[in-house]
Amino acid sequence: AQSVTQLGSHVSVSEGALVLLRCNYSSSVPPYLFWYVQYPNQGLQLLLKYTSAATLVKGINGFEAEFRKSETSVHLTKPSAHMSDAAEYFCAVILRREDDKIIFGKGTRLHILP
Amino acid sequence: EAEVAQSPRYKITEKSQAVAFWCDPISGHATLYWYRQILGQGPELLVQFQDESVVDDSQLPKDRFSAERLKGVDSTLKIQPAELGDSAMYLCASTPSGGSNEQFFGPGTRLTVL
């Protein structure tokens, strides 16, 4: 069963506009949730790590994520998009606190329009 | 800043040939992961090492893939023979000891099988 679902394989926003990338997880609240960014032909870089103890987490590069338990979602946002934000973004979860295996979503490609 | 090293960055081979990828994790990181990332998808775990021991290779196609980490430091992933469907990005990641579940990724090896 899919543990994490990213909504939209491609998202386009204008430079300076709000970035919103959506991630839904399965009904059980995961103990850990991550957002990673991947630039072309590079590895994954951690944007932020979310634990169930918080509702809002600030990451690098101006990104932040809000945990919405009622909606089983953790959406990634940034108030003002930059051209350098164009990349692939992955939502990922660890399903059990004692586990260490990360399960990745299929990714969302973010396009920034000039 | 310490990084996970991978080589080569790009590899083009013909089907039925053998290929090998190398990964050197961040110094002191006991856990090492190999992932395969097909274009347009999230990474999928192939094998996980704890020091020199395989912890999980349930998703490794053992008829053609092998992985080793003989001294518990660097690791090699081999494919023999390569098939067209093996074309993908192969990512290596590592985590430190002590319970941290943040995975640090290398830049990956892009494999193209012709």
Side-chain angles (χ1 to χ4, degrees):
Chain A
Q2 181 67 37
S3 301
V4 57
T5 302
Q6 292 185 242
L7 305 180
S9 58
H10 292 266
V11 170
S12 295
V13 301
S14 298
E15 190 175 17
L18 172 70
V19 176
L20 172 60
L21 303 181
R22 303 173 187 272
C23 175
N24 290 348
Y25 53 87
S26 57
S27 58
S28 299
V29 176
Y32 303 103
L33 189 143
F34 308 85
W35 276 99
Y36 283 88
V37 60
Q38 185 178 33
Y39 298 100
N41 289 314
Q42 294 190 25
L44 277 69
Q45 180 182 7
L46 183 67
L47 274 178
L48 57 84
K49 172 182 173 180
Y50 186 93
T51 66
S52 53
T55 56
L56 183 67
V57 175
K58 293 187 182 297
I60 64 171
N61 300 342
F63 285 92
E64 62 183 33
E66 182 180 2
F67 201 32
R68 301 180 181 182
K69 292 184 180 180
S70 61
E71 301 174 10
T72 63
S73 67
V74 179
H75 299 330
L76 183 70
T77 62
K78 182 174 181 177
S80 177
H82 294 170
M83 296 300 292
S84 60
D85 294 327
E88 188 95 18
Y89 291 81
F90 292 94
C91 179
V93 299
I94 292 179
L95 294 179
R96 299 179 302 170
R97 192 168 295 279
E98 65 273 16
D99 205 353
D100 60 357
K101 292 180 176 50
I102 295 180
I103 300 172
F104 288 88
K106 293 187 176 182
T108 297
R109 171 77 62 181
L110 177 64
H111 304 271
I112 309 298
L113 307 174
Chain B
E1 184 175 328
E3 296 180 341
V4 176
Q6 288 189 249
S7 67
R9 292 293 311 278
Y10 303 91
K11 179 69 177 178
I12 300 175
T13 190
E14 295 183 344
K15 63 180 181 178
S16 80
Q17 296 298 304
V19 292
F21 313 131
W22 177 79
C23 171
D24 192 11
I26 295 172
S27 178
H29 282 201
T31 308
L32 184 148
Y33 307 83
W34 282 102
Y35 289 89
R36 177 170 58 187
Q37 184 183 20
I38 296 171
L39 191 63
Q41 302 285 324
E44 295 181 330
L45 181 67
L46 289 174
V47 62
Q48 176 183 349
F49 288 92
Q50 181 68 30
D51 299 311
E52 68 275 8
S53 300
V54 173
V55 173
D56 184 356
D57 63 358
S58 59
Q59 300 304 310
L60 189 71
K62 299 181 187 62
D63 56 335
R64 297 184 300 108
F65 286 65
S66 64
E68 60 184 17
R69 194 185 183 197
L70 295 177
K71 297 183 179 179
V73 180
D74 58 337
S75 175
T76 302
L77 178 69
K78 297 179 181 178
I79 308 175
Q80 182 175 15
E83 297 181 352
L84 296 178
D86 296 331
S87 294
M89 174 78 90
Y90 290 83
L91 295 165
C92 180
S94 66
T95 58
S97 306
S100 172
N101 51 30
E102 179 182 345
Q103 294 187 17
F104 295 82
F105 283 81
T109 296
R110 169 76 65 188
L111 173 67
T112 301
V113 182
L114 303 177

